[in-house]
């Protein structure tokens, strides 16, 4: 047995074709390359992801992205020891392209394939940045597609979903409020930028599912659609009164409400489950107010917070290779060659 | 060297084809229907290799049907073929899936046939279709075909209008779906045979022609955005 093994990760759950290589060592895992091809520009004019356009782009990008990753890492395909691929959750058409490619590699190279959970990958990628997880961590995964709170006892085999959004994902709420304020799609980054110029305490928007009555049933769940409606009502009332809308203050106050709920509930969960380390992943972890508030509140609560740099937080092959590496390391059984894709893969299922 | 051929335009069909001008079938698997391509293709490939006792590293090429066909299954076949060939370091050749049905029709339906029209199911009450004649001057053991009319998607009514099919032999699974417009001989081919795709691909390669693996979608994507998902923020 060699002292290192090489895992190739493939991600195609949405509009990014990601291929990454991770070298698994005795004590740490090293990201050798993280190549991404995106069809994002082809979707912008439709105001959302078009699954068929994304699927077509994945087919065309697959072999070129594999080639680019291998050549940038100066790795021969024959050196790869295992394949990891997103099995779900995500869009069926895009997932199917990645899974078929991964299994063709597995057959062609005679190596195992692991079908892994995309959302858990958003947490696992932090192991490539800040080192392997301690015994037990809390993971908050927030993006345009997901808002989930996960108790991670073993990233490769033992994950419990404590809570999730009951309606919009955090990033999705940002995009919807962006549309409401007349900002270009996707609205998230525009709101974040505007919010930095505004006063987060200017308007007191509601904090969803934080009332005492919600603590029994939804202590760790999120809801952002009421907040979105409150922003819409506030803006419309101003417009009806013929007043100007203070966009930076609206953006800042809205972002503050989202960050407040996410961090308050997450830290309460850490306390309840006696967890000393919090990992935040997913594209929405790029949000400045969330980062700042999480750092501040975790420091006060004595919780170590780990947030990977932004380039690891968007959808990419690194997160999938990282989770595949963890599965390989922990001796998890590889997937069967008839591995299906599961567009609504449960967050308690780490590998299929 | 053996060739691994697959087609996902009608069924899920995987065939291991041997050396020699007649390209003997060493092992074959076919699952009838349009579902579960992504699950079944890889195990089927492993099975034909195991059954024939051929090591994957002995393969000399991969051949794939490029449709036209419903998108998801077609893509599963194409990405499997391209990626498998990439993993093995061998060439991948694409052939229009309808070409294989036409070639088999010419080969099995007698010398009197001058033109073949292939018709397959495009769903939404339409068919994929292409018109062929026998290619002259090819190697004697392989019936080669050339397209007189390129693949298109049409309603059966338009396809059959003005006696357009009167002088042709009409073949392919589409004939069973629209008997009011299309009639076929009972024993004529209905679906593409990967072994025939291989013979066509190898004949084209021998002539120095290209055989790309671009998918024949023939329809634009439906541009309804995905519900509840997502945006560029991962
Ligand atoms: Zn994601």
């Amino acid at each position: 047995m060699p002292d290192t093994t090489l895992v190739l990760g493939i991600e195609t759950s949405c509009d990014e074709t990601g291929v990454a290589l991770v070298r698994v060592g005795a004590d740490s895992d090293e990201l050798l390359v993280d190549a991404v091809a995106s069809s994002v520009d082809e979707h912008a004019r439709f105001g959302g992801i078009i699954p068929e356009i994304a699927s077509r782009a994945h087919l065309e990008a697959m072999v070129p992205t594999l080639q680019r990753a291998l050549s940038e890492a100066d790795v021969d395909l024959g050196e790869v020891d295992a394949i990891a691929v997103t099995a779900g959750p995500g869009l069926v058409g895009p997932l199917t392209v990645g899974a078929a490619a991964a299994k063709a590699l597995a057959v062609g190279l005679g190596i195992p394939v692991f079908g892994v959970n995309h959302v858990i990958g958003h947490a696992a990628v932090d192991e490539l940045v800040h080192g392997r997880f301690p015994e037990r961590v809390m993971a908050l995964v927030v993006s345009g597609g997901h808002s989930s709170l996960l108790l991670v006892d073993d990233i490769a085999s033992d994950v419990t979903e404590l809570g999730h959004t009951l309606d919009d994902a955090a990033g999705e709420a940002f995009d919807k409020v962006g549309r409401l304020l007349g900002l270009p799609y996707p609205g998230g980054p525009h709101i974040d930028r505007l919010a930095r110029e505004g006063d987060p305490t200017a308007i007191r928007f509601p904090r969803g599912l934080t009332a005492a009555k919600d603590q029994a049933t939804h202590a760790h769940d999120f809801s952002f659609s009421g907040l979105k409606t409150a922003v819409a009502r506030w803006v419309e009332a101003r417009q009806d009164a013929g007043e100007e809308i203070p966009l930076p203050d609206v953006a800042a106050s809205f972002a503050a409400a989202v960050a407040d709920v996410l961090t308050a509930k997450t830290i309460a969960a850490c306390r309840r489950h006696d967890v000393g380390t919090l990992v935040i992943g997913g594209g929405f972890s790029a949000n400045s107010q969330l980062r700042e508030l999480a750092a501040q509140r975790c420091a006060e609560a004595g919780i170590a917070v780990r947030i990977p740099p932004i380039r690891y937080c968007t959808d990419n092959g690194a997160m999938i290779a990282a989770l595949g590496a963890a599965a390989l390391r922990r001796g998890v059984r590889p997937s069967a060659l008839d591995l299906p894709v599961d567009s609504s893969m449960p967050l308690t299922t780490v590998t299929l | 060297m053996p060739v691994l051929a697959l087609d996902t335009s009608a069924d899920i069909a995987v065939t291991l084809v041997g050396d020699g001008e007649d390209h003997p079938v060493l092992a074959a698997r076919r699952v009838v229907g349009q579902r579960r391509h992504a699950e079944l293709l890889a195990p089927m490939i492993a099975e034909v290799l195991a059954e024939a006792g051929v090591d994957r590293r002995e393969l000399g090429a991969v051949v794939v049907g490029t449709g036209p066909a419903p998108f998801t299954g077609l893509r599963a076949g194409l990405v499997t073929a391209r990626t498998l060939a990439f993993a093995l370091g061998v060439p991948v050749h694409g052939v229009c899936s309808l070409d294989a049905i036409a070639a088999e029709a010419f080969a099995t339906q007698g010398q009197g046939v001058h033109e073949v029209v292939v018709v397959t199911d495009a769903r939404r009450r339409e068919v994929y279709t292409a018109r062929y004649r026998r290619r002259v001057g090819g190697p004697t053991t392989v019936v080669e075909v050339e397209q007189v009319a390129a693949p298109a998607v049409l309603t059966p009514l338009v396809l059959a209008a003005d006696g357009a099919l009167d002088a042709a032999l009409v073949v392919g699974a589409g004939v069973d779906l629209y008997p009011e417009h299309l009639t076929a001989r009972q024993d004529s081919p209905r679906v593409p045979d990967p072994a025939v795709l291989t013979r066509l691909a190898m004949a084209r390669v021998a002539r120095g022609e290209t055989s790309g693996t671009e998918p024949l979608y023939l329809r634009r994507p439906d541009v309804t955005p995905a519900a509840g998902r997502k945006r560029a923020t991962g």
Side-chain angles (χ1 to χ4, degrees):
Chain A
M1 175 122 179
D3 19 341
T4 63
T5 48
L6 201 54
V7 178
L8 184 146
I10 297 177
E11 150 64 26
T12 63
S13 69
C14 194
D15 59 343
E16 255 109 32
T17 315
V19 175
L21 285 161
V22 165
R23 193 176 290 287
V24 185
D27 308 311
S28 65
D29 310 310
E30 182 195 357
L31 179 65
L32 302 185
V33 68
D34 184 27
V36 177
S38 177
S39 62
V40 59
D41 296 342
E42 298 174 55
H43 306 277
R45 68 193 172 101
F46 301 109
I49 302 297
I50 309 299
E52 178 58 23
I53 290 177
S55 302
R56 291 184 181 193
H58 284 305
L59 170 63
E60 297 318 319
M62 185 54 66
V63 170
T65 310
L66 284 166
Q67 276 169 324
R68 185 153 57 86
L70 291 162
S71 98
E72 280 177 21
D74 196 20
V75 163
D76 186 275
L77 195 52
E79 298 170 44
V80 175
D81 298 294
I83 308 290
V85 65
T86 307
L91 301 168
V92 173
L95 285 170
T96 300
V97 177
K103 292 193 283 181
L105 286 177
V107 170
L109 300 170
I111 58 176
V113 60
F114 293 89
V116 307
N117 189 304
H118 173 91
V119 176
I120 297 169
H122 272 306
V125 73
D126 186 65
E127 292 202 303
L128 303 180
V129 181
H130 296 114
R132 290 187 183 153
F133 289 158
E135 194 91 331
R136 193 174 221 217
V137 301
M138 190 67 67
L140 174 67
V141 177
V142 273
S143 74
H146 1 272
S147 300
S148 296
L149 193 55
L150 307 170
L151 179 61
V152 180
D153 281 300
D154 183 333
I155 192 71
S157 63
D158 191 355
V159 174
T160 311
E161 187 184 25
L162 298 180
H164 57 259
T165 180
L166 303 184
D167 37 61
D168 296 341
E172 194 182 355
F174 263 61
D175 289 342
K176 286 181 177 175
V177 168
R179 199 174 308 154
L180 187 91
L181 299 179
L183 302 172
Y185 170 89
H190 295 281
I191 295 200
D192 195 21
R193 186 176 38 72
L194 273 172
R196 275 176 242 152
E197 302 156 21
D199 174 7
T201 63
I203 310 152
R204 176 72 193 179
F205 286 127
R207 270 64 171 157
L209 298 181
T210 55
K213 67 176 166 59
D214 297 316
Q215 289 308 310
T217 45
H218 295 298
H220 305 313
D221 289 326
F222 308 107
S223 168
F224 299 111
S225 84
L227 170 61
K228 176 193 66 195
T229 309
V231 175
R233 287 220 185 94
W234 194 92
V235 168
E236 280 161 19
R238 287 295 163 110
Q239 282 168 335
D240 292 347
E243 293 173 41
E244 194 158 326
I245 310 294
L247 284 181
D249 286 349
V250 174
S253 300
F254 162 71
V258 173
D260 181 18
V261 172
L262 287 173
T263 52
K265 285 186 171 247
T266 301
I267 286 166
C270 290
R271 285 212 173 103
R272 176 178 295 192
H273 293 275
D274 198 21
V275 180
T277 304
L278 169 65
V279 179
I280 304 182
F284 189 72
S285 65
N287 179 261
S288 353
Q289 288 206 34
L290 174 64
R291 283 185 172 241
E292 283 159 27
L293 201 54
Q296 181 201 322
R297 287 182 171 175
C298 283
E300 287 162 13
I303 296 164
V305 63
R306 299 166 49 143
I307 311 179
I310 290 157
R311 69 185 180 96
Y312 293 95
C313 294
T314 51
D315 291 350
N316 56 52
M319 56 192 269
I320 303 308
L323 188 47
L328 193 70
R329 224 165 53 210
R330 296 302 189 109
V332 172
R333 194 160 41 86
S335 305
L337 266 187
D338 66 353
L339 165 73
V341 300
D342 182 354
S343 61
S344 51
M345 188 171 177
L347 295 190
T348 43
T349 307
V350 184
T351 58
L352 271 185
Chain B
M1 286 191 286
V3 172
L4 193 285
L6 61 96
D7 184 272
T8 55
S9 68
D11 303 325
I12 312 170
V14 177
T15 302
L16 187 63
V17 181
D19 276 325
E21 199 175 73
D22 58 339
H23 298 290
V25 172
L26 303 181
R29 289 283 185 283
R30 179 179 290 274
V31 174
V32 175
Q34 292 274 359
R35 299 177 66 82
R36 300 186 67 211
H37 301 84
E39 283 144 78
L40 298 178
L41 263 175
M44 288 165 75
I45 293 168
E47 278 173 32
V48 297
L49 289 168
E51 183 185 308
V54 170
D55 187 276
R56 61 183 196 279
R57 284 160 291 204
E58 296 172 46
L59 292 174
V62 176
V63 169
V64 62
T66 58
F71 308 151
T72 303
L74 176 62
R75 256 193 305 269
L78 290 170
V79 80
T80 296
R82 289 181 188 181
T83 313
L84 180 65
F86 176 65
L88 297 169
V90 301
V92 56
H93 307 294
V95 176
C96 169
S97 302
L98 305 182
D99 289 12
I101 303 176
E104 193 175 343
F106 280 116
T108 59
Q109 302 292 307
Q111 291 294 318
V113 175
H114 295 290
E115 279 200 337
V116 164
V117 172
V118 181
V119 186
T120 61
D121 185 13
R123 302 176 183 173
R124 303 186 208 170
R125 308 196 62 78
E126 290 185 310
V127 292
Y128 299 118
T129 181
R131 183 181 283 259
Y132 293 85
R133 63 173 164 247
R134 198 187 292 259
R135 188 181 195 281
V136 291
T140 49
T141 55
V142 178
V143 174
E144 289 189 66
V145 294
E146 55 193 7
Q147 294 174 354
V148 180
V153 58
L154 295 174
T155 65
L157 185 66
V158 167
L159 173 65
D162 304 324
L165 302 177
D166 290 353
L169 174 67
V170 183
V171 301
V175 298
D176 302 318
L177 298 173
Y178 302 102
E180 67 277 30
H181 300 296
L182 311 168
T183 49
R185 294 185 199 166
Q186 274 309 314
D187 59 345
S188 66
R190 297 295 201 267
V191 294
D193 179 349
V196 179
L197 284 175
T198 305
R199 288 169 200 142
L200 291 172
M202 292 307 148
R204 288 172 193 182
V205 168
R207 284 203 305 273
E209 291 176 14
T210 56
S211 52
T213 59
E214 290 72 36
L216 290 163
Y217 292 123
L218 304 190
R219 280 185 178 132
R220 286 177 198 283
D222 172 7
V223 294
T224 311
R229 280 190 50 101
K230 166 175 161 178
R231 164 28 268 168
T233 41

